[in-house]
């Protein structure tokens, strides 16, 4: 699910800063030390606790003992990565490189998800908020939250970013069209879920089959999570209700 792998971003300068820890791959650590040219890394800002972003923290700490590790807390997940985490709050400004970035809490994909905004260049380090060529995974049973994700997309759109440096895939040079496309896509999917409910499909499995009739078996779990994320959002919007495993449109 990480496509061709994942990016970490280095901001050299007075406060050498790495955005995201990667997975502790020795080649990554070698490349990092080479890019730093003997200057010790000061800190790692982690966008969220998923393994491809945070699991490398311990390996970095081993090579660069003075480095600090900062992220928004998600205690049950953070404890998996054996470093002392420094908590970051929404809208906190953090010195990084020769400049500073501001933490923007953007939950949805993960509850602790942060983007890091660099106002001077209108650039944002996007973590897993957006990935060119695909939609972003909202794992409903693992604290993913579709309503929160849509609000996060709106929040980042309101910053008018000129560029997103993502954790996966190419740099995003036209953030507005990608993010608006995501919102439109989710709304289309939502109306498909409502249509499926109207046609009498009340269980997640049946809704999945109705929306994705010829889905490859490998993607079924993921489709179920997506449909569940939509149902939970609709429930919170007061448009559907749940009885045992069955979902119903309110008022029909
Ligand atoms: Zn992730």
């Amino acid at each position: 699910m990480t496509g061709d792998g994942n990016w970490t971003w280095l901001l050299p300068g007075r406060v050498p800063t790495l955005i995201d820890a990667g997975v502790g791959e020795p080649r990554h650590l070698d490349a990092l030390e080479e890019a730093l040219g003997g200057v010790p890394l000061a800190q790692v800002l982690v966008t969220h606790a998923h393994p491809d972003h945070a699991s490398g923290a311990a390996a970095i700490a081993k090579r660069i003992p003075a480095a600090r590790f900062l992220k928004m807390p998600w205690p049950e997940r953070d404890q998996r990565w054996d470093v002392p985490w420094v908590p970051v709050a929404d809208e906190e400004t953090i010195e990084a490189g020769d400049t500073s970035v501001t933490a923007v809490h953007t939950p949805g994909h993960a509850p602790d998800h942060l983007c890091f905004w660099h106002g001077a260049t209108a650039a944002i380090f996007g973590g897993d908020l957006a990935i060119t060529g695909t939609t972003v995974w909202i794992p409903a049973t693992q604290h993913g939250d579709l309503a929160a994700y849509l609000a996060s997309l709106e929040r980042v759109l309101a910053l008018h970013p000129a560029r997103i440096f993502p954790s996966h895939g190419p740099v995003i040079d036209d953030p507005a069209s990608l993010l608006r496309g995501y919102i439109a896509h989710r709304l289309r999917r939502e109306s498909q879920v409502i249509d499926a409910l109207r046609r009498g499909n009340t269980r997640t499995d049946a809704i999945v089959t109705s929306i994705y009739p010829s889905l490859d078996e490998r993607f079924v779990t993921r489709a179920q999570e997506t449909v569940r994320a939509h149902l939970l959002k609709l429930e919170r919007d007061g448009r559907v209700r749940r009885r045992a495993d069955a979902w119903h449109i309110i008022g029909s």
Side-chain angles (χ1 to χ4, degrees):
M1 292 199 197
T2 63
D4 294 330
N6 42 293
W7 299 112
T8 65
W9 300 95
L10 179 64
L11 284 68
R14 204 164 37 78
V15 187
T17 298
L18 186 69
I19 294 184
D20 272 345
V23 297
E25 164 80 39
R27 278 181 308 158
H28 176 243
L29 297 175
D30 293 344
L32 175 62
E33 283 183 325
E34 200 185 313
L36 285 161
V39 179
L41 185 70
Q43 61 188 5
V44 184
L45 310 182
V46 171
T47 58
H48 61 299
H50 286 165
D52 46 333
H53 305 262
S55 68
I60 294 174
K62 216 168 169 186
R63 280 226 203 169
I64 311 165
R68 304 188 320 144
F69 296 85
L70 296 83
K71 72 182 292 302
M72 176 166 277
W74 182 4
E76 67 180 88
R77 291 296 183 95
D78 296 344
Q79 64 182 8
R80 294 183 189 179
W81 322 121
D82 190 19
V83 295
W85 293 105
V86 178
V88 176
D90 186 26
E91 297 194 1
E92 191 173 324
T93 295
I94 301 159
E95 284 190 60
D98 287 324
T99 180
S100 63
V101 294
T102 302
V104 183
H105 187 213
T106 39
H109 169 71
D112 58 338
H113 194 281
L114 292 176
C115 294
F116 295 100
W117 169 244
H118 186 239
T121 55
I124 192 160
F125 296 92
D128 282 354
L129 183 82
I131 307 167
T132 297
T134 183
T135 55
V136 168
W137 173 223
I138 307 298
T141 59
Q142 294 155 62
H143 305 277
D145 183 325
L146 185 58
Y149 179 63
L150 292 170
S152 294
L153 293 173
E154 295 285 4
R155 185 175 183 193
V156 170
L157 273 168
L159 293 170
H160 301 292
R163 191 173 278 191
I164 298 177
F165 296 107
S167 294
H168 307 282
V171 172
I172 298 158
D173 287 319
D174 186 3
S177 78
L178 183 63
L179 302 190
R180 285 191 204 293
Y182 280 161
I183 293 168
H185 167 84
R186 299 291 174 170
L187 293 179
R188 266 196 314 275
R189 190 66 83 219
E190 181 170 288
S191 53
Q192 288 178 319
V193 170
I194 291 169
D195 284 349
L197 287 164
R198 285 220 173 91
R199 287 198 301 273
N201 302 289
T202 60
R203 284 168 196 274
T204 312
D205 290 6
I207 298 167
V208 167
T209 313
S210 149
I211 296 178
Y212 311 90
S214 50
L215 186 64
D216 189 311
E217 223 173 278
R218 289 172 298 157
F219 301 123
V220 168
T221 312
R222 196 158 168 159
Q224 283 172 343
E225 283 273 40
T226 298
V227 165
R228 210 168 281 132
H230 277 284
L231 290 165
L232 291 171
K233 174 186 177 289
L234 288 165
E235 182 179 45
R236 207 163 341 142
D237 293 345
R239 298 176 67 189
V240 306
R241 68 189 146 75
R242 182 176 12 178
R243 200 180 296 138
D245 285 340
W247 295 85
H248 302 275
I249 295 175
I250 288 176
S252 66

